[in-house]
Amino acid sequence: MISGKAKVCGLMACPVEHSLSPLMHNFFAGEMGIDLAYVPFLVKSENLKEAVLGAYALNLTGVNVTVPHKQAVIPLLAGIDEAAEAVGAVNTLVRVEGGFWGYNTDAPGLKRAVKEAGVQVRGRDCLLIGAGGAAKAAAFMLGDEGAASVTVLNRSADRAWQLSEEMNRHFGRTFMTGMALADYEKLPARRWLAVQTTSVGMYPHGDEAPVEDRAFYRTIDIGVDVIYTPARTRFMALVEEAGGRAVGGLDMLLYQGIQAFELWNPEGKVPPEIVDKARVMMRRELER
């Protein structure tokens, strides 16, 4: 039951109707007996400043922000964490004295997802497919977890190099390089840990993959796709057909939400049995 002492959290986005965040956060609150309500807020870009000020004035505990606000919200905040600074995007706000502190939970969400899947990043040679917002979060995670090397493959080689240089500066070591996706045949012969961050293969284009050449997938022993619709992408299918192991994007979605929920409720971690129940619930929702 929601009482007069309830914490109130929500999501600012435009559009907002498609989001699974209200379902997920209210499920966690109900299962853990936490007096919290999470609601969607349709916020247009021109109203973002007023929305953030209003959220603070209304005593909201925390807010998620997503498209198109993940960069625009940063100047409106009291400060941001290291991941948000490196990635250049915020998706979670936590109430502090005088305003909100901004976090990026995509990178730690991906970190928890790969760890739960038993994937070891430290010391690995990695491929990062894509150079957009999701790629930045993945690049930060790979660098933070101690990847030996990361090769960014992107349609635009310039963007791949730009992301590489940003991360090399941030971590103070030269471990990331960039190249055009079309030049994948020039990759050195290694067994790669590959993270796929583009939108290629996302519903309703589930029959597509960023690379179609099956020889490419024989170089990948673990392939992680951040896409969660469909649950098994063509990228994942090609990795598995070539003898590798594939990890889907649903757990990244789940764990980035858990990171936010735990920032708003630091008194308790979401237990594994509730995580499992939430995964089943979200998979069922996505399959509707």
Side-chain angles (χ1 to χ4, degrees):
M1 294 291 291
I2 296 172
S3 76
K5 298 179 181 178
K7 296 178 181 179
V8 179
C9 300
L11 170 67
M12 294 183 186
C14 185
V16 74
E17 296 84 0
H18 66 286
S19 176
L20 292 177
S21 293
L23 179 70
M24 178 168 45
H25 289 290
N26 287 311
F27 177 81
F28 292 147
E31 289 290 312
M32 296 174 66
I34 295 174
D35 196 1
L36 180 148
Y38 185 105
V39 294
F41 299 111
L42 177 64
V43 177
K44 296 181 180 179
S45 296
E46 60 267 28
N47 298 326
L48 180 61
K49 181 176 181 180
E50 289 81 0
V52 172
L53 292 173
Y56 186 79
L58 288 168
N59 199 38
L60 268 64
T61 298
V63 182
N64 286 132
V65 294
T66 188
V67 177
H69 307 314
K70 295 174 78 169
Q71 292 82 35
V73 76
I74 293 175
L76 307 175
L77 304 177
I80 59 176
D81 77 333
E82 181 190 1
E85 183 176 2
V87 174
V90 162
N91 70 348
T92 301
L93 313 185
V94 178
R95 186 183 185 85
V96 296
E97 186 64 34
F100 289 103
W101 197 270
Y103 294 83
N104 184 295
T105 68
D106 289 332
L110 179 58
K111 173 182 173 180
R112 284 179 72 167
V114 298
K115 284 194 170 183
E116 289 295 325
V119 177
Q120 175 71 37
V121 174
R122 185 166 299 279
R124 289 298 310 266
D125 293 313
C126 304
L127 297 179
L128 178 59
I129 303 172
K136 285 188 175 183
F140 177 82
M141 183 279 290
L142 293 170
D144 198 45
E145 284 296 287
S149 71
V150 178
T151 302
V152 182
L153 300 174
N154 190 60
R155 284 184 300 177
S156 164
D158 288 344
R159 288 193 66 187
W161 275 107
Q162 181 181 353
L163 174 57
S164 301
E165 290 169 358
E166 287 176 8
M167 290 298 157
N168 288 337
R169 284 195 301 270
H170 179 84
F171 288 103
R173 64 186 180 103
T174 302
F175 71 105
M176 192 173 291
T177 59
M179 61 187 291
L181 180 60
D183 292 334
Y184 68 86
E185 292 177 330
K186 299 177 182 178
L187 287 167
R190 294 176 186 169
R191 292 293 282 169
W192 301 96
L193 164 59
V195 183
Q196 198 296 114
T197 69
T198 75
S199 61
V200 178
M202 184 181 294
Y203 177 85
H205 303 291
D207 59 345
E208 299 177 4
V211 176
E212 290 293 340
D213 184 357
R214 282 176 163 77
F216 171 72
Y217 293 92
R218 289 195 288 271
T219 70
I220 298 172
D221 64 348
I222 300 176
V224 179
D225 201 330
V226 303
I227 292 173
Y228 55 87
T229 51
R232 185 173 184 260
T233 62
R234 178 161 173 77
F235 171 83
M236 295 170 63
L238 288 167
V239 168
E240 290 173 340
E241 288 170 11
R245 181 180 169 209
V247 179
L250 179 60
D251 274 5
M252 178 183 174
L253 173 69
L254 180 62
Y255 282 114
Q256 64 82 24
I258 290 171
Q259 290 287 127
F261 190 84
E262 291 175 351
L263 284 168
W264 301 326
N265 301 282
E267 64 276 8
K269 299 288 186 181
V270 179
E273 61 272 18
I274 294 179
V275 175
D276 291 340
K277 289 172 71 174
R279 184 182 293 110
V280 171
M281 176 194 68
M282 291 172 67
R283 186 175 291 119
R284 187 182 304 122
E285 186 70 18
L286 288 168
E287 289 172 351
R288 284 188 176 182

